[in-house]
Amino acid sequence: MSGAALQETQQPASLARRVLLQGKYEALTMLRNGEQLILAIVLPLLALVGLTVTPFLDGMGSSRINVAVPGILALCAMSTAFTGQGIATGFDRRYGVLRFLSTTPLGRGGLIAGKVLSVLAVLCIQVVVVGLVALALGWQPTAAGWLPGLALLALGAAAFTALGLLVAGTVRPEATLAITNLLWILLGAMGGIVIPAERLPAAAQAVVHFL
């Protein structure tokens, strides 16, 4: 092999390809983790069905399923971006994976971009699964709301990813596990995400607006 050919074969992959491969790896890791699948898919679906078959959302100006779906999709974004990434990154930090990856050609920026990409990929799967189940339950989304809804969902996923990385980079992995799961429950139940503030007691609505 000539020197020119050898040099060509040793050229590093482009940054976009490195980020894409890292995102693919992170997404597959999340999807292969049974605990993550329960948090990302099973629990949101159970909440969706529960809100649909109970009268809790009656009187909200629309059908139960139409009121429930946006909150469930937001819960999906929070479970994948905040809880899932927070826990995974916390333990990657403990075992030295972050330090190793940050010194590779991927770099810190590429690592963060890969994590965001993996969150968006898993979120797309969540939207499809939740959307199909919701349609089977009678969901009737308006066409005009799809584009802004998906854009806000992506922005929310990016914000929750940043928050999850902040927690994972600040406290120990065990504390990250406890904090992210506790906040997931707290924000889901009392943050106005799944249950609208109007359906909560007056005393609890102040907590909702604060969260």
Side-chain angles (χ1 to χ4, degrees), residues 19-81:
V19 170
L20 183 62
L21 290 174
Q22 181 64 23
K24 177 182 177 182
Y25 166 76
E26 299 248 4
L28 290 176
T29 299
M30 282 194 287
L31 293 173
R32 289 170 179 167
N33 188 315
E35 188 176 313
Q36 294 284 359
L37 281 179
I38 291 175
L39 190 66
I41 301 292
V42 177
L43 291 182
L45 287 180
L46 289 176
L48 177 66
V49 174
L51 291 173
T52 303
V53 300
T54 59
F56 194 79
L57 298 179
D58 287 349
M60 296 295 296
S62 185
S63 65
R64 299 172 187 171
I65 188 68
N66 287 344
V67 176
V69 171
I72 296 301
L73 290 176
L75 185 69
C76 288
M78 187 169 61
S79 65
T80 300

Side-chain angles (χ1 to χ4, degrees), residues 78-89:
M78 187 169 61
S79 65
T80 300
F82 176 59
T83 308
Q85 276 300 321
I87 294 173
T89 304

Side-chain angles (χ1 to χ4, degrees), residues 101-198:
L101 289 176
S102 66
T103 59
T104 67
L106 181 66
R108 287 177 292 181
L111 176 61
I112 294 174
K115 287 183 175 295
V116 172
L117 188 62
S118 70
V119 167
L120 293 177
V122 175
L123 185 58
C124 286
I125 297 174
Q126 290 174 294
V127 169
V128 171
V129 173
V130 171
L132 290 175
V133 174
L135 289 172
L137 293 174
W139 182 38
Q140 296 177 334
T142 58
W146 270 106
L147 188 59
L150 291 175
L152 288 173
L153 197 62
L155 288 175
F160 276 118
T161 300
L163 184 59
L165 295 180
L166 174 64
V167 175
T170 304
V171 300
R172 298 174 58 186
E174 293 82 4
T176 299
L177 182 65
I179 291 172
T180 54
N181 280 304
L182 177 61
L183 286 180
W184 185 81
I185 297 173
L186 182 63
L187 290 172
M190 297 291 294
I193 292 180
V194 175
I195 303 175
E198 295 81 1

